């Protein structure tokens, strides 16, 4: 299917969080094995209302309010997945997920390998993540690199309502565990046309948001919008190609390399701290696969190697168009 809604499709104009809810409802209507579980996801509709109305539509057996116990939520979901169900547990914020980290990396990610293929773990762990909404630090972390490092897990991060629904449906249908990280800064920041029918956006495929010839800028999630804004502001000065990775594990290395071979320069924008962040992995991929095309060091435009700050400094921590433009100019002027 096309990556955008076509004119002959019936669509709704949805926010990103509404697209999450639409994707969940669509799959629950089509597949009785799909269920939702988590803290306050039922009667209250979730802390961000991503599951609003699902309890009334599908009942308490398929929209399950759980105790406040992340390890228990994920551990129970793993058992359900091994049994043949398709659970979609929600963790209220990514910063709350660490009590469940052992369940995710020691069990969910390894179930297929440990059982020699006898069992799979078709589950999707949803979690709002990232900063910019004036929340405490445990609510604002961007630690996708933790999970991208673990073989057996896919890590998906949408940036548009259209992609959100299509990627979520693909994730639910995937036979293995998927971390589906939702950038809450843009939950309600804008709207987009989303088909009312079921459709898939393939996992592991990046999207070239704008084509350019001077530099390739790789990003994902909430950082896609300020990156596109920076590229627009540089129009006439620097021709910027913006690539939204959408899935950070597995990386779409083919699109990364193809874009870099065209431009010879690159920058990576993410809000996670620089050290150990995925910008380093992308830079290494470029070094290994396209070194002879490289004309400048790969710029990393990221958060800082500090705990996520409280309100007064939050805007300074997150990459914004001015800092993104500065990094792009540094790469082009090298």
């Amino acid at each position: 299917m096309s990556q955008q809604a076509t004119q002959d499709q019936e669509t709704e104009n949805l926010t990103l969080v509404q697209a999450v809810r639409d994707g969940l409802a669509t799959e629950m209507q089509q597949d009785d094995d799909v269920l939702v579980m988590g803290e306050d996801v039922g009667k209250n509709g979730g802390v961000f209302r991503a599951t609003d109305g699902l309890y009334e539509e599908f009942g308490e057996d398929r929209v399950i309010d759980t105790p406040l116990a992340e390890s228990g939520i994920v551990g129970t979901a793993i058992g359900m997945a091994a049994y043949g169900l398709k659970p979609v547990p929600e963790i209220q914020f990514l910063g709350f997920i660490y009590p469940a980290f052992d369940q995710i990396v020691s069990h969910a990610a390894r179930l297929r390998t440990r059982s020699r293929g006898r069992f799979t773990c078709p589950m999707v762990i949803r979690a709002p993540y990232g900063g910019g909404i004036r929340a405490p630090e445990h609510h604002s972390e961007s630690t996708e690199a933790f999970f991208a490092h673990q073989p057996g897990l896919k890590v998906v991060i949408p940036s548009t309502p259209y992609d959100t629904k299509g990627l979520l449906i693909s994730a639910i249908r995937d036979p293995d565990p998927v971390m589906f990280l939702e950038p809450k800064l843009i939950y309600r920041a804008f709207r987009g046309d989303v088909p009312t029918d079921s459709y898939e956006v393939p996992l592991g495929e990046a999207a070239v948001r704008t084509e350019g010839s001077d530099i390739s800028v790789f990003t994902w999630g909430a950082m896609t919008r300020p990156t596109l804004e920076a590229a627009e502001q540089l129009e006439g000065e620097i021709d910027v190609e913006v690539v939204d990775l959408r899935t950070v594990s597995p990386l779409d290395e083919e699109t990364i390399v193809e874009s870099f071979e065209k431009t010879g320069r690159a920058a990576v924008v993410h809000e996670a701290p620089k050290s150990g962040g995925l910008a380093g992995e992308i830079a290494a991929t470029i070094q290994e696969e396209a070194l002879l095309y490289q004309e400048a060091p790969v710029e990393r435009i990221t958060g800082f190697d500090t705990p996520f700050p409280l309100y007064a400094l939050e805007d300074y921590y997150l990459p914004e168009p001015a800092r993104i433009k500065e990094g792009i100019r540094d790469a082009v002027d090298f």
Side-chain angles (χ1 to χ4, degrees), residues 167-308:
L167 288 167
L168 182 55
I169 290 173
S170 293
I172 293 171
R173 294 176 182 178
D174 196 277
D176 293 303
V178 178
M179 299 291 300
F180 196 86
L181 307 185
E182 300 163 8
K184 59 184 182 290
L185 176 61
I186 56 173
Y187 258 162
R188 294 177 172 85
F190 58 94
R191 292 177 176 269
D193 289 337
V194 177
T196 56
D197 292 337
S198 178
Y199 64 95
E200 294 185 56
V201 174
L203 307 185
E205 291 188 13
V208 178
R209 298 300 185 192
T210 61
E211 294 192 5
S213 58
D214 293 333
I215 185 171
S216 303
V217 184
F218 304 102
T219 190
W220 54 89
M223 292 298 99
T224 302
R225 284 172 65 81
T227 301
L228 288 169
E229 186 177 337
E232 184 177 355
Q233 293 175 9
L234 288 168
E235 192 172 343
E237 175 188 352
I238 299 172
D239 195 21
V240 181
E241 179 151 301
V242 177
V243 180
D244 178 0
L245 295 180
R246 302 194 294 193
T247 300
V248 297
S249 181
L251 283 173
D252 184 354
E253 294 186 4
E254 182 178 348
T255 297
I256 292 171
V257 171
E258 182 179 329
S259 177
F260 185 77
E261 287 179 349
K262 179 170 66 172
T263 65
R265 291 177 170 83
V268 184
V269 182
H270 64 61
E271 61 181 278
K274 178 182 285 188
S275 297
L278 288 169
E281 180 64 28
I282 294 166
T285 298
I286 290 170
Q287 293 281 303
E288 291 170 351
E289 302 295 334
L291 177 62
L292 297 182
Y293 293 85
Q294 188 166 354
E295 299 183 26
V298 177
E299 287 288 326
R300 292 183 287 173
I301 307 164
T302 70
F304 300 102
D305 292 341
T306 66
F308 196 91

Side-chain angles (χ1 to χ4, degrees), residues 36-41 46-48 50-51 66-77 88-101 103-104 123-129 138-139 147 178-182 184 187:
V36 171
M37 57 195 295
E39 300 163 9
D40 296 325
V41 301
V47 64
F48 290 103
T51 55
T66 68
L68 284 86
E70 285 77 16
S71 181
I73 294 168
V74 175
T76 301
V88 185
E90 175 184 294
I91 303 299
Q92 281 194 342
F93 294 89
L94 185 60
F96 296 172
I97 205 168
Y98 308 121
F101 195 76
Q103 293 283 359
I104 295 168
M123 62 184 288
V124 179
I125 301 173
R126 292 183 43 249
Y129 93 109
H138 285 147
H139 301 68
F147 304 99
V178 178
M179 299 291 300
F180 196 86
L181 307 185
E182 300 163 8
K184 59 184 182 290
Y187 258 162

